[in-house]
């Protein structure tokens, strides 16, 4: 019973009015075909595919799940047929290079496609979604021969890809990887080991699956410095890509999971499986980060997808469900009770969902522009600048948006009340499906350590200050330009935002000084610091959306209620959600001794 309508009006608002995507495209000759007419057509067709093909398989896929039988995995009914339509429609090739069979359209446009498909059916979308990371890794680090053999078929969708990192003895700590790669003397290697938690690691959608695998060469240094990266296909192929013998990559089992049951999470056994090295020896982790950053932004998108799907269905239910009378007077005298949307607490949950989904979408689309700039930079300096900005914001997106996506999903279940706890309505599935997003591709805690430890303190605040400068320039432009017709209306956003950014910088300096005396400060403050950062970053984008809405309302634009709603939602965000930073500031600055003062024995419950 889940409903979904692609939020095309909201997407176009970001594309046209907030981020000026068409000016962005015109700066890159590679994107000359990404005209408004073409982009509109792609959005409309993707919406149809998502709503008509993928949404109907969402709940049925959860109910049926994947089937494992003697190493073979069968996806839920309808998944394979939907994937064939996906390939026939040319969707896999949309954001990839023409020289390898792609359509040469921007990666940012591919993100729009991923959002619509992911909201309609996240489990299904994971199969082609994992391929994007494999494509990016091969495109960045592969040889011309590897690109010709593997990349072209991944782009056309006849093959899919995975990333194989985790092993039974190690998750985040990849320095413990034990999978071995023995050279054969002909440029190939035999890989032996076990990988776990491999999303889309085995399935029946395509004839071949290309695994990107971390492994160790003989005599490699210990830890992360001795890890190399390999391309290992499920089925061996010749140089023309013709399928040959089984390559001894077997699926030992699939996990029985809390959610995303239509997506197979496999245990893969490599038993002298033949592969080829990608990138330099012992530099596999560096190469893998190409894949991991792609995956982390994609996982951040899951938070937005969950918030959007939960919001759309919550809104429909809240308008129809009758319960009690409004505290301020009867609103529907012709009915036995008022719809629950009139109650302030329900409205608060709906507004929170709306603010999260639309604010999160803006954060994702901002980041998508950075990806475009990295992929089409004209100089190494230009590429590095965009890459540094992406590196700073990626852990915030991944952790903050998935945590808020989980919050939004839970609000949806709460709005549905007892019905939310029952399968047929689909709300409990959104909660279950979304829970994994805070875990895979690095837990919230791992992302927080990356942000505070590596991206902020190790750079002495350089990356944070660069972003803060961007925000403060925006604030100055809004408040100092004398002929700005929206100056007075924007003050309610600009002053809280600029003040928050200044405090953000101050707290960062204080944390750095405290961490010099006690390294546990980083671990105790990191998650709160990340969430604190996330609320400020989202406030920046809500302020931009409010500005764009005011500018549209100053014209004779149609659908004026759409833009008024943007401003009202921005007001809600600044009044109800941004103040969460106040309590986060207290907890992130607290002494870590209250966390660490109990001995392990005293933590025992017996």
């Amino acid at each position: 019973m889940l409903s979904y309508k692609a939020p095309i009006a909201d997407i176009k608002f970001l594309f046209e009015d907030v981020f000026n995507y068409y000016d962005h495209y015109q700066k890159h000759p590679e994107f000359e075909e990404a005209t408004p007419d073409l982009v509109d057509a792609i959005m409309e067709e993707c919406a149809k595919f998502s709503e008509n093909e993928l949404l109907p398989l969402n709940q049925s896929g959860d109910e049926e799940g994947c089937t494992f039988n003697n190493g073979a995995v069968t996806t839920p009914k309808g998944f394979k047929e939907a994937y064939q339509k996906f390939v026939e429609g040319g969707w896999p090739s949309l954001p990839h290079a023409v020289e390898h069979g792609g359509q040469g359209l921007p990666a940012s446009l591919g993100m729009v496609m991923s959002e619509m498909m992911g909201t309609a059916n996240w489990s299904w979308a994971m199969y082609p979604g994992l391929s994007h990371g494999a494509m990016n890794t091969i495109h960045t680090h592969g040889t011309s021969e590897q690109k010709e053999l593997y990349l072209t078929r991944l782009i056309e969708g006849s093959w899919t890809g995975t990333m194989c990192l985790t092993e039974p003895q190690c998750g985040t700590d990849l320095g413990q990887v034990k999978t071995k790669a023995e050279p054969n003397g002909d440029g190939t290697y035999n890989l032996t080991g076990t990988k776990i938690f491999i999303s889309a690691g085995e399935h029946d959608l395509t004839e071949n699956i290309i695994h990107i695998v971390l492994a160790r060469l003989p005599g490699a240094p210990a830890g992360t410095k001795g890890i190399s990266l390999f391309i290992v296909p499920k089925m061996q192929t010749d140089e023309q890509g013709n399928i040959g013998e089984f390559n001894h990559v077997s699926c030992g089992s699939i996990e029985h999971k809390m959610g995303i049951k239509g997506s197979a999470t496999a245990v893969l056994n490599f038993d002298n499986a033949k592969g080829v090295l990608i990138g330099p020896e012992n530099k596999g982790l560096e190469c893998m980060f190409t894949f991991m950053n792609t995956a982390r932004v994609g996982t951040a998108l899951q938070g937005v997808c969950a918030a959007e799907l939960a919001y759309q269905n919550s809104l429909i239910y809240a308008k129809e469900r009758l319960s009690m009378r409004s505290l301020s007077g009867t609103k529907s005298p012709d009915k036995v009770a008022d719809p629950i949307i009139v109650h302030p607490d329900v409205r608060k949950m709906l507004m929170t969902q709306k603010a999260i989904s639309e604010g999160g979408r803006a954060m994702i689309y901002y980041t998508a522009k950075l990806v475009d700039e990295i992929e089409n930079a004209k100089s190494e300096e230009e590429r590095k600048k965009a890459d540094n900005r992406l590196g700073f914001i990626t852990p915030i997106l991944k952790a903050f948006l998935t945590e808020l996506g989980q919050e939004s999903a839970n609000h949806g279940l709460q709005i549905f009340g007892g019905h939310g706890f029952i399968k047929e309505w689909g709300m409990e599935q959104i909660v279950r499906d979304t829970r994994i997003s805070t875990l895979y591709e690095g837990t919230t805690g791992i992302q927080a350590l990356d942000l505070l430890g590596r991206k902020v303190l190790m750079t002495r605040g350089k990356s944070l200050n660069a972003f803060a400068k961007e925000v403060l320039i925006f604030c100055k432009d809004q408040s100092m330009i004398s002929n700005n017709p929206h100056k007075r209306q924007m003050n309610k956003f600009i002053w809280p935002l600029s003040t928050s950014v200044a405090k953000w910088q101050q707290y960062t300096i204080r944390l750095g000084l405290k961490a010099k005396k006690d390294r546990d400060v980083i671990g105790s403050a990191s998650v709160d610091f990340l969430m604190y950062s996330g609320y400020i970053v989202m406030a920046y984008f809500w302020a931009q959306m409010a500005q764009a809405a005011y500018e549209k309302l100053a014209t004779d634009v149609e659908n004026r209620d759409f833009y008024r709603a943007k401003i009202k939602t921005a007001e809600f965000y600044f009044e109800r959600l941004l103040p969460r930073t106040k309590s986060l500031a207290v907890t992130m600055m607290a002494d870590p001794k209250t966390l660490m003062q109990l001995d392990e024995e005293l933590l025992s419950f017996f």
Side-chain angles (χ1 to χ4, degrees):
M1 295 179 65
L2 283 173
S3 298
Y4 172 64
K5 293 293 292 182
I8 291 179
D10 193 71
I11 294 171
K12 287 184 178 180
F13 171 67
L14 294 177
F15 256 61
E16 298 170 7
D17 304 318
V18 179
F19 295 129
N20 298 316
Y21 255 101
Y22 295 114
D23 288 346
H24 163 69
Y25 289 158
Q26 288 177 7
K27 294 176 182 177
H28 298 281
E30 302 89 345
F31 301 152
E32 62 181 1
E33 293 187 9
T35 62
D37 287 345
L38 179 64
V39 171
D40 285 353
I42 289 172
M43 288 183 185
E44 293 291 344
E45 288 304 311
C46 187
K48 292 177 184 177
F49 179 75
S50 301
E51 295 165 6
N52 300 331
E53 301 294 339
L54 300 184
L55 182 69
L57 303 175
N58 194 332
Q59 288 177 270
S60 62
D62 176 70
E63 185 69 26
E64 181 182 348
C66 292
T67 304
F68 176 78
N69 183 21
N70 195 28
V73 173
T74 303
T75 54
K77 183 179 180 181
F79 271 43
K80 187 171 184 177
E81 290 76 11
Y83 185 81
Q84 290 305 311
K85 291 180 181 179
F86 171 76
V87 173
E88 291 166 4
W91 297 110
S93 62
L94 187 146
H96 295 286
V98 174
E99 60 263 33
H100 301 299
Q103 298 179 47
L105 291 170
S108 52
L109 189 54
M111 189 65 72
V112 175
M113 175 186 77
S114 296
E115 184 203 336
M116 291 186 192
M117 295 182 184
T119 309
N121 192 329
W122 187 263
S123 288
W124 181 92
M126 288 187 71
Y127 292 100
L130 268 295
S131 293
H132 285 292
M135 294 181 218
N136 291 342
T137 302
I138 295 172
H139 181 266
T140 304
H141 304 289
T143 64
S144 57
E145 293 79 12
Q146 290 169 349
K147 292 176 184 178
E148 178 61 29
L149 177 57
Y150 299 109
L151 190 56
T152 54
R153 287 157 186 82
L154 288 167
I155 286 175
E156 72 184 14
S158 59
W159 297 352
T160 58
T162 74
M163 53 191 293
C164 297
L165 290 75
T166 306
E167 298 182 5
Q169 77 285 352
C170 70
T172 302
D173 186 2
L174 294 172
Q176 299 182 47
V177 163
K178 293 182 179 179
T179 298
K180 297 179 180 180
E182 297 284 345
N184 292 319
D186 60 355
T188 66
Y189 299 80
N190 283 351
L191 277 76
T192 301
T194 297
K195 299 289 184 177
I196 65 171
F197 300 158
I198 309 305
S199 297
E202 177 61 28
H203 55 76
D204 60 350
L205 304 184
T206 57
E207 61 181 0
N208 207 357
I209 304 173
I210 308 305
H211 303 291
I212 308 297
V213 187
L214 288 180
R216 292 187 183 280
L217 291 166
T224 57
K225 294 181 179 180
I227 300 175
S228 298
L229 192 62
F230 299 86
I231 302 174
V232 185
K234 171 186 171 181
M235 305 296 296
Q236 294 186 25
T237 64
D238 61 21
E239 294 180 355
Q240 287 71 45
N242 298 311
I243 299 297
E245 297 179 351
F246 176 62
N247 196 27
H248 303 290
V249 182
S250 60
C251 180
S253 64
I254 57 174
E255 304 296 346
H256 301 279
K257 302 174 296 186
M258 175 180 177
I260 54 169
K261 295 184 177 181
S263 170
T265 302
V267 174
L268 294 182
N269 297 313
F270 296 81
D271 186 13
N272 284 322
K274 186 174 290 187
V276 292
L277 183 70
I278 179 171
E281 292 185 5
N282 301 326
K283 299 293 183 181
L285 201 56
E286 296 176 23
C287 295
M288 181 63 93
F289 269 113
T290 303
F291 201 141
M292 292 169 68
N293 284 332
T294 303
R296 285 173 178 172
V297 174
T299 305
L301 182 63
Q302 186 178 3
V304 176
C305 293
E308 179 67 32
L309 190 60
Y311 172 63
Q312 288 197 19
N313 286 272
S314 298
L315 182 61
I316 294 170
Y317 186 83
K319 288 180 177 180
E320 297 175 349
R321 179 68 171 176
L322 305 179
S323 183
M324 302 187 296
R325 292 296 183 185
S326 169
L327 296 175
S328 58
T330 298
K331 299 297 187 290
S332 300
D334 58 326
K335 298 177 181 177
V336 297
D338 289 330
I340 63 173
I341 197 170
V342 306
H343 302 311
D345 185 60
V346 172
R347 190 65 68 89
K348 180 176 68 175
M349 290 187 283
L350 288 168
M351 288 296 293
T352 299
Q353 290 177 313
K354 181 176 175 64
I356 290 171
S357 62
E358 295 177 13
R361 180 177 297 111
M363 291 171 71
I364 291 288
Y365 286 13
Y366 168 89
T367 306
K369 283 184 72 174
L370 294 179
V371 175
D372 284 348
E373 291 173 11
I374 292 169
E375 293 184 354
N376 297 278
K378 300 300 183 291
S379 68
E380 179 58 23
E381 181 182 358
E382 184 180 324
R383 188 203 66 78
K384 189 174 181 180
K385 182 180 179 180
D387 193 47
N388 286 339
R389 292 164 66 195
L390 177 65
F392 169 72
I393 202 170
T394 293
I396 298 175
L397 260 67
K398 194 281 174 186
F400 180 72
L401 292 182
T402 57
E403 292 287 349
L404 291 197
Q406 185 69 29
E407 177 184 343
S408 181
N410 278 307
H411 282 322
L413 194 148
Q414 188 76 13
I415 290 168
F416 273 72
H419 293 290
F421 204 64
I422 296 171
K423 275 184 173 293
E424 66 181 276
W425 293 89
M427 301 310 293
E428 59 85 33
Q429 182 192 335
I430 301 175
V431 173
R432 288 187 290 104
D433 286 350
T434 307
R435 188 64 185 88
I436 185 62
S437 66
T438 66
L439 305 177
Y440 55 17
E441 305 311 327
T443 63
T444 298
I446 293 298
Q447 301 298 328
L449 286 173
D450 179 44
L451 175 67
L452 181 57
R454 294 181 64 246
K455 304 297 175 54
V456 175
L457 297 184
M458 284 182 65
T459 67
R460 297 188 177 185
K462 183 178 180 180
S463 56
L464 186 151
N465 289 334
F467 186 85
K469 181 180 179 181
E470 176 183 334
V471 180
L472 292 174
I473 289 173
F474 167 80
C475 292
K476 182 179 179 181
D477 289 344
Q478 293 302 307
S479 60
M480 299 300 292
I481 298 175
S482 58
N483 63 351
N484 183 354
H486 317 296
K487 177 178 176 180
R488 183 178 59 81
Q489 296 107 313
M490 284 297 294
N491 278 342
K492 59 179 174 285
F493 305 120
I494 296 306
W495 291 113
L497 177 58
S498 57
T499 301
S500 296
V501 171
K503 289 181 178 179
W504 189 20
Q505 292 175 299
Q506 293 167 7
Y507 281 128
T508 300
I509 294 172
R510 290 173 58 190
L511 281 172
L513 293 173
K514 292 181 70 172
K516 288 183 178 180
K517 299 178 180 179
D518 184 356
R519 301 296 291 176
D520 277 338
V521 166
I522 299 173
S524 68
S526 57
V527 171
D528 291 337
F529 178 83
L530 184 145
M531 297 301 291
Y532 181 95
S533 304
Y535 284 113
I536 294 173
V537 172
M538 187 176 279
Y540 171 46
F541 293 111
W542 267 116
Q544 288 188 69
M545 287 189 279
Q547 178 214 18
Y550 277 125
E551 290 181 355
K552 296 298 289 188
L553 287 172
T555 69
D556 59 354
V557 66
E558 298 179 0
N559 193 16
R560 300 180 71 81
D561 285 344
F562 174 86
Y563 300 101
R564 293 191 185 103
K566 288 295 177 190
I567 295 168
K568 296 300 181 185
T569 308
E571 291 173 348
F572 170 85
Y573 182 86
F574 272 76
E575 186 170 310
R576 293 278 183 165
L577 298 186
L578 183 59
R580 293 180 181 183
T581 55
K582 295 179 180 179
S583 62
L584 288 167
V586 174
T587 53
M588 76 183 181
M589 298 306 299
D591 196 306
K593 68 181 181 182
T594 54
L595 303 178
M596 310 303 292
Q597 64 187 358
L598 278 181
D599 293 335
E600 293 179 17
E601 291 76 11
L602 295 177
L603 284 169
S604 175
F605 57 83
F606 56 84

